[in-house]
């Protein structure tokens, strides 16, 4: 490793290592606009978006942030032109196949959240394979929200709980936050401390509605494919300037 790359991998000195978010969530928005700005088809933006996610993952690992959750495909995204939807689903599959070995080498534990059963069977297969293969890894927890919708997640948790009540396995007064969370896709994962949204949109677009209740929100006009280490540093710096309140 060169001195320069070592310097890049070290936590920037203006960040306090003891006050880093323990879980960062990202709404990776702006791929289409990025491509259009270059005069390219939107799908090339998605392709570049994968590189930006890889860079962010590496950066979290280098800087000691143990969990990253990225929004890759929302339940609403099915409404996009068919070719774009197909491109995205194929891209996820290709990336999973291509990156599995490196994820192992980097000790990444990958998990997918969302309504996975509605995804193409071949993609479901790659997802299962990657989750199983990396289940014991402890370097960093990467969660990818695919065919994910926060409202749907809450509804399916309600359904599961209602079934348990109807079956007489649970009393309504036993339903508390801890129990409810066990029925979310993200069961066992801490809540994100920091939500980053790129490309300037001031909304959460049905992402982690329950889990983001107290997250600090950072929105940058930078489009996702341009989101890099320098941008992430800025987001973390802004995060550390905030006074977090849980009351
Ligand atoms: C985000 O980029 C990626 C996905 C939703 C899959 P967009 O495709 O939403 O890009 P913009 O917002 O149209 O620029
Ligand atoms: C949110 O981006 C979903 C993902 C990044 C996967 P969108 O571009 O789909 O969200 P809206 O349409 O701006 O709300
Ligand atoms: Mg968008």
């Amino acid at each position: 490793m060169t001195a320069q790359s070592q310097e890049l991998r070290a936590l920037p000195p203006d960040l306090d290592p003891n006050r880093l978010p323990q879980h960062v969530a990202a709404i990776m928005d702006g791929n289409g606009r990025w491509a259009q700005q270059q005069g390219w088809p939107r799908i090339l933006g998605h392709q570049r978006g994968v590189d930006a996610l890889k860079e962010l993952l590496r950066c979290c690992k280098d800087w000691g942030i143990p969990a990253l959750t990225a929004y890759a495909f929302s339940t609403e995204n099915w409404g996009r032109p068919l070719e774009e939807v197909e491109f995205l689903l194929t891209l996820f599959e290709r990336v999973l196949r291509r990156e599995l070995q490196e994820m192992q080498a980097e000790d990444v534990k990958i998990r997918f959240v969302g309504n996975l059963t509605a995804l193409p069977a071949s993609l479901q297969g790659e997802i299962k394979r990657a989750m199983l293969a990396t289940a014991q890894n402890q370097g960093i927890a990467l969660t990818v929200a695919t065919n994910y919708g926060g409202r749907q997640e809450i509804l399916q948790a309600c359904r599961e709980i209602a079934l348990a009540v109807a079956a007489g396995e649970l009393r309504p007064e036993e339903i508390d936050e801890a129990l409810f969370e066990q029925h979310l896709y993200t069961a066992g994962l801490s809540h994100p401390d920091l939500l980053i949204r790129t490309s300037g949109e001031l909304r959460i677009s049905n992402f982690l509605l329950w889990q983001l209740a107290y997250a600090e929100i950072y929105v940058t006009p930078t489009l996702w494919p341009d989101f890099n280490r320098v941008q992430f540093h800025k987001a973390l710096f802004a995060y550390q300037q905030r006074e977090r309140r849980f009351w």
Side-chain angles (χ1 to χ4, degrees):
M1 202 186 289
T2 65
Q4 199 192 6
S5 67
Q6 225 157 11
E7 199 178 314
L8 268 176
R9 296 190 77 159
L11 185 71
D14 58 357
L15 294 179
D16 177 350
N18 299 313
R19 288 177 44 247
L20 287 170
Q22 294 302 292
H23 183 176
V24 171
I27 300 179
M28 311 186 286
D29 196 19
N31 292 348
R33 276 165 280 179
W34 182 89
Q36 272 157 353
Q37 277 180 7
Q38 335 280 320
W40 296 341
R42 293 174 54 84
I43 54 171
L44 288 183
H46 297 316
Q47 222 153 16
R48 280 301 187 89
V50 175
D51 299 333
L53 177 59
K54 281 183 67 177
E55 172 72 1
L56 178 58
L57 180 66
R58 196 164 297 127
C59 202
C60 284
K61 204 172 165 232
D62 287 347
W63 293 352
I65 294 170
L68 171 66
T69 296
Y71 203 5
F73 193 85
S74 74
T75 45
E76 288 68 34
N77 288 151
W78 292 107
R80 294 190 177 202
L82 186 63
E83 314 83 77
E84 185 173 344
V85 170
E86 278 179 354
F87 179 86
L88 279 167
L89 298 178
T90 314
L91 178 69
F92 299 156
E93 207 175 310
R94 257 191 296 136
V95 170
L96 267 178
R97 211 173 296 134
R98 189 181 71 205
E99 302 292 335
L100 184 56
Q101 213 178 347
E102 197 176 334
M103 285 193 288
Q104 292 290 35
E106 296 278 332
D107 205 19
V108 177
K109 177 179 180 164
I110 194 170
R111 168 175 177 176
F112 282 76
V113 292
N115 178 9
L116 306 180
T117 55
L119 297 172
S122 51
L123 175 55
Q124 287 187 52
E126 289 300 330
I127 287 176
K128 273 197 201 117
R129 198 162 79 97
M131 280 176 46
L132 206 67
T134 65
Q136 305 305 323
N137 291 351
Q138 296 192 338
I140 182 165
L142 170 65
T143 304
V144 185
T146 309
N147 194 19
Y148 175 89
R151 288 181 178 171
Q152 290 83 345
E153 178 183 40
I154 290 170
L155 280 179
Q156 73 83 40
C158 290
R159 262 182 236 120
E160 280 181 24
I161 293 168
L163 278 172
V165 172
E169 295 159 8
L170 187 72
R171 282 177 289 123
E173 55 277 21
E174 288 175 314
I175 304 170
D176 57 10
E177 291 187 12
L179 180 124
F180 196 80
E181 293 195 345
Q182 287 168 18
H183 293 271
L184 295 174
Y185 298 131
T186 52
L189 203 64
S190 67
H191 298 158
D193 303 300
L194 170 64
L195 169 71
I196 296 172
R197 180 162 188 155
T198 54
S199 90
E201 245 59 74
L202 300 175
R203 53 178 174 262
I204 56 175
S205 301
N206 207 10
F207 191 40
L208 302 177
L209 297 182
W210 171 284
Q211 299 86 338
L212 290 172
Y214 271 96
E216 292 295 328
I217 300 178
Y218 178 84
V219 176
T220 168
T222 302
L223 304 174
W224 178 254
D226 286 331
F227 192 82
N228 57 23
R229 224 166 246 262
V230 173
Q231 308 290 328
F232 188 43
H233 175 191
K234 276 193 202 160
L236 293 175
F237 187 80
Y239 171 82
Q240 293 197 337
Q241 303 307 303
R242 309 244 183 116
E243 181 196 348
R244 294 197 73 196
R245 282 222 182 132
F246 298 93
W247 43 269

